[in-house]
Amino acid sequence: MDEQQAMELVTRLVARGRGVDPRALEPDTDLVDDLGFDSLDASELLAALHSETGTQLPLSDLSDLRTIGDVGRALSTRQVVR
């Protein structure tokens, strides 16, 4: 999965989970400050990403993955873990 595909997937999942128009989300949209993510939201996003791609991002990574772009870039550089 390339970076663009990863960004589109993260954007789609975040938009669906938050009930917002995906066009309102940008790579620099902050998951906590802009969207009010908490640890449960983060866990649900990571589970959805794993379900869609087979790639597992550890919850501990979210301290470094603050924006949609951060998550998309991390997803695009991870290997599939099944």
Side-chain angles (χ1 to χ4, degrees), residues 5-74:
Q5 292 170 318
M7 294 284 189
E8 289 170 3
L9 176 60
V10 173
T11 299
R12 181 170 46 85
L13 293 174
V14 169
R16 183 177 6 165
R18 282 294 190 233
V20 298
D21 186 335
R23 294 173 293 189
L25 302 174
E26 298 289 333
D28 65 345
T29 300
D30 190 287
L31 297 173
V32 174
D33 294 340
D34 297 331
L35 298 174
F37 263 56
D38 60 20
S39 59
L40 178 59
D41 297 316
S43 295
E44 290 173 350
L45 174 60
L46 294 179
L49 289 169
H50 184 257
S51 176
E52 291 272 336
T53 67
T55 301
Q56 192 163 5
L57 296 175
L59 185 57
S60 60
D61 282 0
L62 279 183
S63 61
D64 296 325
L65 305 176
R66 299 280 306 181
T67 67
I68 288 174
D70 292 340
V71 177
R73 282 185 290 280

